[in-house]
Each structure stands twice: as structure tokens, then as C-alpha cells.
Amino acid sequence: MSLLKPTVNDGAAMWELVNNSTLDQNSAYKYIMMCDFFAETCVVAKDDEEKLVGFITAFIPPTKPDVVFVWQIGVDPSQRGKGLASQMLNELVQRQGAKDIRYVEATVTPSNKASQSLFRRLARAHDTNCEVLDCFSEELFPGDNHEEELTFRIGPLR
Ligand SMILES: CC(C)(COP(=O)(O)OP(=O)(O)OC[C@H]1O[C@@H](n2cnc3c(N)ncnc32)[C@H](O)[C@@H]1OP(=O)(O)O)[C@@H](O)C(=O)NCCC(=O)NCCS
């Protein structure tokens, strides 16, 4: 498995992986744009046949230069439960471009146990804290079928 910075050629495969998962759907444009402008803080995992089997889209919020915010992380169903998401997160925080990062933040719905376990495992691996804070309440979302989003804040790192 190779863990790489994405190029614009990876956006379509990220979008397809999301289409086949429980993650929120976004336009293909959004993935291509992330691959172009935020490649330093995004990760793609490719198998021996160069097939994209996992990805992270993340960015450093302009008002929080010591945080990397993980917008989405996804692993192909065939590769889940093998530590791939954890490896991608570790790749992200070890990059030269992330040298000033002290916290990883992500929002997670209360029912997404796999994602919660993933971020708690990251905190354990770095022997640091995992704080859980309120973030986006369900009233903010249109319709009535979106759960609230809680912030998982892991750090300080190092
Ligand atoms: C969440 C996701 C990225 C985890 O990927 P993964 O490569 O399987 O994760 P890992 O193998 O690195 O496992 C990380 C931790 O999550 C746990 N985990 C993985 N799948 C799980 C599941 N279905 N239920 C409960 N815990 C789970 C693992 O046991 C491990 O925790 P542990 O060390 O305490 O045992 C993957 O399940 C996925 O793509 N889900 C759909 C998309 C999604 O919900 N993304 C997150 C929201 S942005």
C-alpha cells in the first residue's frame, strides 16, 4: 500500500469511494479542488494495482494554524479493519507540511462508532488527549435526517 499526496487525477476516485460509503456526498469538483489546493494535508492510499482504496481530505483552518481539520476520511470496504485509516492519519501528522500542527480535529456523528474508535486510537498512539465537544447541532442541517456533529480534538501532539 502506498500513502501519497493526491493529484487532481485522484479526485474522481475519491468521489466514487464516497458514493459507495455512508459519508456525506459532495460534488466531484470538491474533491478535485481539495487535491489541487490542499494536497499537502490530504492523503491517498493506493494498492499494488494503483487503485485508490482510502483517502483523507483535510486542511489547516486559517484561524487555527496549529490544527489540521479532517474533513473526510474513507476506506474502501474491502480494506477496513486493517489499520489503514490509522496509517493515513499518522502519515498526515508526520508530514513536513504539518510540522506546526499540534491538534487533529474532526467532526463525527454520535452513531459513527468506527470513526470515534479511529480518533480515540490516534490519541492513544500519540499518548495524548481526545476531547469531545459540541459542534454543529442537527437544527443547522436542512431536512430532518442529519445527526448532530461532535468535534473530536486530539492533542497536543509531540
Ligand atoms: C471510519 C473508517 C475510515 C475506519 O477505517 P479503518 O481503516 O477500518 O480503521 P482502522 O482499521 O485504522 O481502525 C481504527 C479503529 O476503529 C475501529 N473500527 C474500525 N471499524 C469499526 C467498526 N465498524 N465499528 C467499531 N469500531 C471500528 C478499529 O477497531 C480501531 O480501533 P481499536 O484500535 O480501538 O480497535 C472506515 O470505517 C470508513 O471508511 N467508514 C465509512 C466512512 C466514515 O464513516 N468516515 C469517517 C467520518 S469522516
Side-chain angles (χ1 to χ4, degrees):
M1 202 70 75
S2 319
L3 303 183
L4 308 161
K5 292 177 191 172
T7 72
V8 287
N9 296 316
D10 294 313
M14 287 176 170
W15 179 82
E16 272 167 24
L17 197 154
V18 170
N19 260 349
N20 296 326
S21 81
T22 53
L23 286 166
D24 280 353
Q25 309 291 306
N26 300 279
S27 67
Y29 178 93
K30 212 154 183 186
Y31 296 94
I32 296 166
M33 184 267 295
M34 289 298 293
C35 292
D36 194 15
F37 293 109
F38 298 97
E40 284 298 319
T41 48
C42 293
V43 181
V44 285
K46 294 190 180 174
D47 68 12
D48 293 346
E49 289 159 8
E50 298 286 299
K51 182 184 171 217
L52 188 143
V53 290
F55 76 87
I56 295 177
T57 48
F59 59 89
I60 298 171
T63 55
K64 297 184 189 173
D66 63 346
V67 170
V68 66
F69 178 78
V70 174
W71 167 45
Q72 281 187 324
I73 179 163
V75 169
D76 187 272
S78 68
Q79 299 296 327
R80 287 185 193 162
K82 299 179 182 176
L84 182 55
S86 302
Q87 284 173 41
M88 292 194 294
L89 284 171
N90 281 318
E91 154 74 15
L92 176 61
V93 298
Q94 281 164 18
R95 283 209 184 133
Q96 183 61 19
K99 65 182 185 334
D100 297 329
I101 296 305
R102 299 197 70 225
Y103 294 89
V104 173
E105 288 185 7
T107 74
V108 181
T109 54
S111 66
N112 194 338
K113 301 300 177 205
S115 193
Q116 292 172 27
S117 302
L118 172 65
F119 290 111
R120 290 192 196 286
R121 174 169 162 172
L122 178 70
R124 279 202 312 279
H126 288 264
D127 197 17
T128 192
N129 310 315
C130 178
E131 257 186 294
V132 182
L133 308 158
D134 287 338
C135 185
F136 302 131
S137 60
E138 38 184 85
E139 303 81 58
L140 293 173
F141 296 94
D144 52 8
N145 62 350
H146 200 300
E147 287 179 85
E148 67 172 321
E149 296 271 353
L150 303 169
T151 294
F152 276 59
R153 179 174 162 89
I154 295 92
L157 302 173
R158 292 177 200 104

